Structures are given as structure tokens and as C-alpha cells.
Amino acid sequence: MFRCYNIKKVIEGKNGMFRILIVEDDHMISEKMKKHLEKWGYEVVCVTDFANVLQHFEQFAPQLVLMDIGLPFYNGYYWCGEIRKSSQVPIMFISSASDNMNIVMAVNMGGDDFIAKPFDLEVLAAKVQAILRRTYSFQNQLSVLEYQNIFLNLSDMSLSCGERRLELTRNEFRILQILFENAGAVVTRESIMKRLWDDECFVDDNTLTVNMNRLRKRLDEAGINMVISTKKGVGYQLDE
């Protein structure tokens, strides 16, 4: 049985602005991104000390990170992994290394989106707006979805079963949210991709498979007995 619990809760951010951290070692690119995003009303900070990216992250507490892959000292995958140890904030990779291997690596390391260089600043702004909307649109209401005594908390993107608790990445959370909302029914791959990426027509179909396999592995490692079955050629289903 599927249930949804709702508790009203207003959450206000600092000055009502989203904070974005840019981790890009090309000063010209980072400054162009910063100035353009500030025109859209975002509060933006560019990392300057690439040996201490995590310190910048902790001090600024951003709601989105734009992360280059090729960086001095340690690459973007390393810093993504460090951030993921304490936070599920959305991370968008930005890189000229846009082959399938790097895109899959970005997803596996906990990235939520990928934009290839060179890119149009308006496209960047649209992607930023989309990922912030998808991630934080639920914050004005604290909700819990329940299925077979497993609870999905929409306020902090966590999954719990008994005393077991699993913090989810944004993509893992969105996958489970749509499966919980359609529990027992088959959800098409197209529907899930639309929930995860507004521009799903430009996403390699294999990217969803990578996300799903990673989610199943994390559920198994956390000891949460949830069966997500694959309906070949159609999509996925949360089984009874």
C-alpha cells in the first residue's frame, strides 16, 4: 500500500537567493559564468584555491556546484567524492571531456548533470534553473512517501526502513520518488528520464541504466529489501 504524509513547513534561504559554487580553473570561463548567473539573481562564488575546494564548499554552503573535471592538484571526480561524504547537494560537471566514459564516470561519482564545453551561457543558465527547480521545488512542504513500510522523506532525500537509513543522491531520490508515486505499476524509462533530466533527448540511454544499477547496489548494501524489477523494453516497477 502506498501512502503520502504531508506536514506544512516553510523553509527560507539566505536572502531568498540560491548559492552556486563554481569550481573552474580557467579564470575567464569562471568569471563569465559568474557574471551571467548573477544576472539571473544567483549568489555565485568562484573557487580560487584549488588545493582546498572542500573548504570553499563548507564555508559557502552552496545549493549547487558547477564542477570542472580537469583541475590543479585533484580532479573534479575527487572533489565530488569528497563533497558526497557529507552532502547530497546537486553537482553539475562542466568539461570538454564529454565522451561517454567521462559522463558515466561523472554519474558514478555522484554527479547529477553534465554540460559539455564549449557551451552557450543561456543554455548553462537554463540547465542551472532546471536542476535547482527539480531539487528544491519540494522544500515548502515536508512530505513522506511510504510503501511496504519503507519511507521516502522528501525533505532531506533519505530512505528509511526500521532503523536503517540511506541518504540518497538527487538522481537516486528522483528515481525512487516516481517509483513510489506509481508503486506496483510499470514506469517507463522515458518518464524517469524526464523526471531526472529536462533535456532527456540529449542523454545517453545508458546513463539511466547506470543510475538504476547504482541505486540497486546501494539499497542492497544498506540492507533495505526493496525490489525494483526491470520490464524489458518498457521500464521499471516497484514490486510488492
Side-chain angles (χ1 to χ4, degrees), residues 105-162:
M105 177 69 79
V107 171
N108 283 336
M109 291 303 296
D112 299 288
D113 206 344
F114 194 106
I115 183 169
K117 295 177 182 176
F119 52 83
D120 184 276
L121 288 173
E122 293 297 335
V123 173
L124 173 67
K127 275 184 164 286
V128 165
Q129 186 179 41
I131 197 170
L132 289 172
R133 182 178 66 248
R134 292 195 301 265
T135 304
Y136 299 107
S137 62
F138 60 84
Q139 280 199 342
N140 287 336
Q141 188 165 309
L142 177 64
S143 302
V144 177
L145 305 183
E146 184 267 338
Y147 184 70
Q148 300 294 320
N149 294 318
I150 300 176
F151 298 87
L152 181 66
N153 193 326
L154 307 188
S155 68
D156 63 4
M157 295 193 296
S158 67
L159 189 73
S160 60
C161 180

Side-chain angles (χ1 to χ4, degrees), residues 58-75:
E58 292 172 346
Q59 290 177 346
F60 186 50
Q63 290 149 315
L64 173 65
V65 178
L66 303 181
M67 179 81 71
D68 191 14
I69 294 176
L71 296 168
F73 301 103
Y74 303 99
N75 64 27

Side-chain angles (χ1 to χ4, degrees), residues 161-217:
C161 180
E163 296 185 359
R164 299 182 181 89
R165 184 176 182 277
L166 177 64
E167 290 191 5
L168 305 165
T169 65
R170 185 191 66 83
N171 282 356
E172 292 167 347
F173 168 76
R174 287 303 191 188
I175 289 172
L176 287 178
Q177 184 181 17
I178 193 170
L179 289 175
F180 267 67
E181 291 170 349
N182 298 274
V186 177
V187 182
T188 65
R189 292 178 63 87
E190 291 75 16
S191 296
I192 297 176
M193 291 175 73
K194 183 63 176 178
R195 180 70 69 96
L196 266 61
W197 304 286
D198 283 349
D199 55 350
E200 78 281 359
C201 56
F202 299 108
V203 177
D204 191 315
D205 188 62
N206 184 56
T207 305
L208 177 58
T209 302
V210 171
N211 275 268
M212 190 63 71
N213 290 340
R214 184 172 183 272
L215 172 59
R216 285 168 168 158
K217 181 179 179 181

